[in-house]
Amino acid sequence: MKRLLTPLAAACLLAGNPLSLHASPYSSLVVFGDSLSDAGWTSDADGPRRFTNRVGPTYQAGEAYGPVAPMLLGGQLGLGAEGLAAANAGGNNWAVGGYRTDQILDSVNNEYLAPNAFQADPSALYYLTGGGNDFLQLRINPLLPYEQATVQAREAAGRLVDSVEALQQAGARYIMVWLLPDVGKTPAISNTPLAGGVSLLGADFNDELVKQLSTVNAEVIPLNVPLMLSEVLESPGSYGLASDLTTQQLIGTCFDDCSSENPAYGLNGTNPDPTKLLFNDGVHPTITGQRLIADYAYSLLSAPWEISLLPEMAHGTLRSHQDQLRAQWQADWEAWQAVGQFRSFVNAGGQRQSYDAFGGDADGNGYSLNLGGSYRLNDAWRVGLAAGLYEQDLEVDHTESDYNLRSYLATAFAQYQQNRWWGELAASVGYLDYDDLKRQFDLGPATRSEKGDTDGDLWSLSGRVGYDIAQSPDSQWHLSPFVSADYARVEVDGYAEDGQRSSALNYGDQTRTSKRLGVGLQGLFDLSQQTRLFGEVAMEREYEDDATDVDMSLRSLPTIGYTLEGYTPDDKTWRASVGVSHRLAEGVAVRGAYIYRDADDSDQHGINLSLSWDL
C-alpha cells in the first residue's frame, strides 16, 4: 500500500498545512530547472523518482519519494495534482535532475515554447531553479584562477536570465526565480578544500543573477533561498531540524547516499529521521528543506492578498462613518430643530468587517466615537459637521496575521427637505494611522512574523436624492425611494517591514478608488409621538472592481521590484439598516441602529447608539 502514496497526497501529509480551497490567482504552475525542482522526470521501480528522501516509515525501496518544493507550492496554491507532475507524465514541470543552465534554456525554448508557437500563458506562474550543476559538472570550475572561474559563474547566471527573458518575450508575466543556494555548504563540498572557493563563486553567480534580473520587464519574484537557509541554521530547532546538531553537522552530513551519513538521524543511524536533517544526500534537501522553501515562496505570493486589505479597512471605516450619520439623519426625518437653532449629537458604535480573500477569511472588529452637530438655515436646508475616531483591527484566520488601523475622520454635510423631495450631500476627509502591522506565516513548523507601520489618507463625496410617497407630511409613516452616488479615494503610503530577513518586504504606495451608484428604499414609522422606527434597504454597484495591484520587493534584494495582484473588490453590495429613536424630552433624543452590508466576498455589521440635543 505504501507504493500507492501519490505525490500530492505526500504533499498534503508533509506540508503541515491544509491545502487552500480558494481558486488560485494563477492558471497553472510551470517549472523549469534541475533536480531541486524535478517532480519525477525519471522513474525507478517505485514510480517517479525525486531528489529528496522517501516518505517512510522505513525510507527504503518500496516507498514513494517526498514532493519537491514546487509540488508543495502548487498544493498551497490550490492547483491540481496533474499539473504538478513532470512534463513527460503530462504535467507542467520541465525540471530535470542534472540539468545545467544551458540545458534549462534549451528546455524553455525548444521543449516548451517551440511546440506552443512561442506563446507563454500570461496568467501562469513560472518557476525556475538552476546553476548548481554548472558547479558540480565543473562548468564553473573552482580549480581555475579566480578571474576565469568568476567569468564562468557570471555566464551561467546570464544563461538562467536568458531563460527568464525567453519566457517574458513569449508573454509570461509572473516568474519566480531562486537565487542559488550555497553549494559550498553542502555535504558534498563543505568538508573539502574547495568549499570556500565554491561559496565565493556562488556569491558571484547570485550577484550577476540579481543584477540582470532587475532589468527584465516582467514581474520577477526572487527567492533569496541562501539567506533563508542561513537564517534557519541560526536556530535549527525552531524549523524542525535537530537542535542537538551543530551547523557544521547539518551542512556536513546527510540522511543517505553521501560520504558522511549522519550517525544519529541518517538512514543507518541510531534514530533514522530525514526530517531532522537539512540534506538527504550530498546536495539535495530533505523534505524539511523542501517544505521550508515552499513555505517561503508561498509567503511572498500570499503577502499582497493580505496587504491589499489595508485600503479596504479604510473604506470599511469610512462606510461605517457614513452609515452612522445616515442613521442619525433618518431618525431626524421631518423632525429637525427650529430654524436658526443648533442640534448636537454624540454617537458610539461597534463594527465588524469580514473578507474572503483567495479563500482565507479575514475578520476584524472596530469601535468608534462620533461627535457632530447641525444648524438649520431655513425651512428646507440644514448644514453640519461631524468628527469621528475609529479603531479597527483585522486578523487573517489561517495565518493569524494582525493589522491595526486608527482613523480620524471629518465630514461636512448639507441636507434638503421640502415638498416630498429630499437630498443629502456629504464630503469627508480622513487621516489613517496603520500601527503594528503584523504579517504572519508558516515557515516549516515555525511561525514567522514580519512587522511594520505606515499611514495614509482618504477623502470622499457622497450624495442621495429621494422622494417621499407618504400621503401627507403629517403621516404616521413615510416611504422614500432614492438614488445614491459615492466616490471615495484611499491612499496608503508605502512602507518597509522591519529588518533585512529573507522574508521581509518593501511595499509601494497603494491607492484604492471606489465609485458607486445605488438605489434604495428608506422608510420610517412613528409608534408614538416619542418613539420612531426607521430603516432602509439599498443595492450599490461598484464601478472600480479590478484587482488591487501591490508593488513589492524583498528588503534583502531591493533592486528587483515586482507587482502582484491583491484583493478584488466586490462589484455589488446590499445594505440594510434598522433603528429606533426615542425622544426623552423636548429637544433631547436617544437612538440606536443596526447596519448590515453584504457582498460575495465581504460583509460588514455595525451597531451604534446616539444621543442628540438641541441648543
Side-chain angles (χ1 to χ4, degrees):
M1 292 295 293
K2 297 169 187 170
R3 293 177 60 182
L4 297 179
L5 186 65
T6 66
L8 188 57
C12 295
L13 290 172
L14 294 166
N17 301 316
L19 294 184
S20 301
L21 298 180
H22 60 73
S24 172
Y26 306 104
S27 58
S28 61
L29 178 64
V30 185
V31 180
F32 299 93
D34 50 25
S35 53
L36 294 173
S37 299
D38 188 339
W41 191 267
T42 59
S43 299
D44 57 21
D46 303 317
R49 178 174 182 265
R50 289 182 288 277
F51 294 82
T52 188
N53 58 272
R54 296 179 187 265
V55 297
T58 68
Y59 311 106
Q60 302 283 352
E63 296 170 353
Y65 291 91
V68 291
M71 297 172 67
L72 294 169
L73 176 62
Q76 290 170 308
L77 291 172
L79 299 171
E82 297 80 6
L84 306 179
N88 62 353
N92 291 319
N93 190 317
W94 298 84
V96 179
Y99 266 18
R100 303 180 305 270
T101 51
D102 58 316
Q103 293 169 304
I104 295 169
L105 177 59
D106 183 70
S107 68
V108 169
N109 282 321
N110 298 324
E111 297 179 32
Y112 177 73
L113 290 177
N116 292 299
F118 287 91
Q119 296 294 310
D121 182 359
S123 299
L125 174 64
Y126 291 86
Y127 182 104
L128 280 82
T129 63
N133 289 308
D134 292 73
F135 282 91
L136 298 177
Q137 298 177 29
L138 296 181
R139 295 299 181 95
I140 303 172
N141 190 346
L143 299 175
L144 293 175
Y146 174 72
E147 292 76 10
Q148 291 180 250
T150 195
V151 169
Q152 293 176 333
R154 291 170 181 164
E155 289 176 345
R159 287 191 293 272
L160 194 59
V161 176
D162 289 343
S163 296
V164 174
E165 290 184 326
L167 290 168
Q168 179 268 324
Q169 292 168 7
R173 183 179 177 190
Y174 304 105
I175 308 172
M176 179 169 274
V177 184
W178 283 34
L179 268 67
L180 180 66
D182 191 344
V183 181
K185 293 181 179 179
T186 61
I189 306 293
S190 62
N191 294 318
T192 72
L194 296 176
V198 170
S199 292
L200 186 60
L201 290 169
D204 291 335
F205 177 97
N206 283 332
D207 288 345
E208 186 67 19
L209 183 65
V210 170
K211 177 182 175 182
Q212 294 194 32
L213 285 177
S214 64
T215 67
V216 178
N217 185 25
E219 310 306 341
V220 177
I221 309 147
L223 292 182
N224 199 340
V225 175
L227 179 58
M228 186 273 289
L229 292 178
S230 70
E231 294 163 357
V232 168
L233 289 170
E234 290 175 0
S235 180
S238 301
Y239 298 95
L241 298 172
S243 58
D244 59 328
L245 298 181
T246 65
T247 296
Q248 183 56 43
Q249 289 171 316
L250 287 169
I251 65 172
T253 65
C254 73
F255 178 69
D256 185 24
D257 194 23
C258 72
S259 59
S260 51
E261 183 180 310
N262 191 275
Y265 302 107
L267 181 61
N268 300 299
T270 56
N271 182 27
D273 187 353
T275 67
K276 298 296 184 182
L277 300 173
L278 186 57
F279 287 98
N280 177 61
D281 56 27
V283 292
H284 300 109
T286 61
I287 189 60
T288 298
Q290 298 284 2
R291 178 186 167 195
L292 288 167
I293 294 165
D295 284 350
Y296 173 45
Y298 186 72
S299 75
L300 304 185
L301 294 174
S302 61
W305 310 340
E306 295 184 10
I307 300 304
S308 60
L309 292 178
L310 298 183
E312 299 305 317
M313 292 175 68
H315 276 286
T317 296
L318 173 63
R319 290 167 189 170
S320 179
H321 177 71
Q322 294 171 330
D323 288 341
Q324 291 184 36
L325 289 178
R326 287 166 180 163
Q328 186 73 44
W329 299 338
Q330 288 178 43
D332 286 350
W333 177 269
E334 294 289 350
W336 288 357
Q337 67 270 38
V339 173
Q341 282 193 327
F342 289 93
R343 174 170 292 175
S344 300
F345 67 86
V346 58
N347 185 342
Q351 307 85 39
R352 180 170 180 81
Q353 299 181 41
S354 297
Y355 301 94
D356 183 10
F358 296 104
D361 293 332
D363 303 293
N365 296 312
Y367 308 93
S368 61
L369 179 66
N370 286 288
L371 302 171
S374 60
Y375 176 76
R376 188 166 183 179
L377 298 172
N378 52 43
D379 287 344
W381 287 93
R382 76 171 181 175
V383 296
L385 296 172
L389 171 64
Y390 287 74
E391 291 275 1
Q392 190 78 24
D393 70 83
L394 190 70
E395 183 174 296
V396 181
D397 290 351
H398 61 288
T399 65
E400 298 186 357
S401 297
D402 191 42
Y403 304 96
N404 297 294
L405 168 64
R406 174 176 287 186
S407 305
Y408 304 86
L409 305 181
T411 296
F413 61 87
Q415 294 178 270
Y416 173 85
Q417 287 184 5
Q418 192 170 46
N419 298 327
R420 299 193 178 188
W421 287 99
W422 61 270
E424 300 162 354
L425 183 65
S428 300
V429 295
Y431 169 71
L432 310 172
D433 181 12
Y434 293 93
D435 183 42
D436 193 22
L437 304 177
K438 183 174 69 174
R439 180 174 63 93
Q440 198 157 275
F441 51 91
D442 291 332
L443 199 57
T447 299
R448 178 177 283 197
S449 297
E450 299 292 355
K451 300 179 181 179
D453 56 73
T454 187
D455 51 22
D457 56 74
L458 65 82
W459 66 274
S460 74
L461 292 172
S462 63
R464 302 200 296 180
V465 176
Y467 184 78
D468 181 17
I469 62 175
Q471 293 182 349
S472 70
D474 298 326
S475 174
Q476 190 178 12
W477 62 269
H478 292 269
L479 195 65
S480 302
F482 66 85
V483 295
S484 65
D486 293 84
Y487 177 90
R489 182 181 178 88
V490 170
E491 296 185 357
V492 178
D493 293 342
Y495 72 99
E497 293 174 332
D498 298 339
Q500 297 286 331
R501 292 196 299 187
S502 60
S503 51
L505 290 164
N506 298 310
Y507 303 102
D509 296 345
Q510 293 188 71
T511 300
R512 215 311 245 149
T513 300
S514 174
K515 298 176 183 177
R516 307 191 314 275
L517 293 177
V519 295
L521 193 64
Q522 173 182 290
L524 61 88
F525 183 78
D526 290 326
L527 298 175
S528 67
Q529 290 184 342
Q530 289 77 34
T531 306
R532 165 175 288 181
L533 292 177
F534 59 89
E536 71 175 35
V537 61
M539 189 276 285
E540 296 176 343
R541 171 74 165 85
E542 175 65 74
Y543 289 89
E544 293 284 348
D545 57 355
D546 292 334
T548 305
D549 288 334
V550 183
D551 297 329
M552 306 164 60
S553 67
L554 288 175
R555 293 218 65 191
S556 59
L557 299 171
T559 60
I560 305 177
Y562 55 94
T563 301
L564 298 181
E565 289 188 357
Y567 182 73
T568 301
D570 291 296
D571 63 351
K572 183 172 65 176
T573 301
W574 287 94
R575 186 183 75 249
S577 67
V578 62
V580 60
S581 175
H582 182 73
R583 190 172 64 188
L584 300 175
E586 186 66 32
V588 180
V590 63
R591 173 190 59 79
Y594 167 76
I595 302 106
Y596 176 60
R597 290 175 175 266
D598 178 68
D600 288 342
D601 293 322
S602 64
D603 61 64
Q604 180 174 346
H605 301 262
I607 189 168
N608 56 85
L609 297 173
S610 176
L611 177 68
S612 65
W613 61 96
D614 292 348
L615 299 176

